[in-house]
Amino acid sequence: MAIPVLAGATAYAVGEGRRWPVGLARKPKAAVAFYSVLALSAAIGITLNFSSINPISALYWSAVINGVLAVPVMVLLMIMARRKDVMGHFVVGGPLYWLGWLSTAAMLLSVLAMAVGFFLGSK
């Protein structure tokens, strides 16, 4: 059941990020790229279903990668949140700004602790 949901989410994310026409309400000829990503994502999901990859291990490692990549994304978001040319009159300031940096630091410390634990535990 997850394959169509994940394939659809991927197609929407890629399509909207690339500014393609997206949506299942559109005819396939009106959103060729969207439907191509949808079909490719579904095919990859179906193929993985029949592979020897352990789905729980795949979920674990995708969460690890997501957590590690979250740190630079959070740093960039905090930098952009302070820029008036990016945020207009929605610039983040005051306690919310410092709470954002505190969250970013906590995430960084979590990633560092995980890495230290991984390397020390593997010996």
Side-chain angles (χ1 to χ4, degrees):
M1 283 181 46
I3 291 172
V5 173
L6 293 173
T10 301
Y12 274 99
V14 170
E16 289 175 359
R18 304 284 301 165
R19 299 185 192 268
W20 295 336
V22 297
L24 294 170
R26 295 181 188 268
K27 300 281 185 202
K29 287 185 179 181
V32 174
F34 170 77
Y35 280 102
S36 297
V37 172
L38 181 65
L40 180 65
S41 298
I44 290 170
I46 291 167
T47 303
L48 285 174
N49 191 41
F50 294 106
S51 73
S52 62
I53 296 173
N54 181 345
I56 301 304
S57 292
L59 283 171
Y60 172 80
W61 286 107
S62 66
V64 168
I65 292 167
N66 188 30
V68 171
L69 293 178
V71 176
V73 170
M74 290 173 75
V75 169
L76 291 173
L77 285 173
M78 290 308 301
I79 291 169
M80 289 190 322
R82 194 65 170 211
R83 292 184 47 182
K84 190 164 180 60
D85 61 323
V86 173
M87 298 298 293
H89 64 279
F90 295 107
V91 171
V92 175
L96 192 57
Y97 178 72
W98 295 109
L99 184 61
W101 277 115
L102 182 64
S103 300
T104 304
M107 193 69 179
L108 175 63
L109 289 174
S110 298
V111 169
L112 292 174
M114 178 195 66
V116 167
F118 179 76
F119 289 115
L120 290 180
S122 65
K123 291 182 179 181

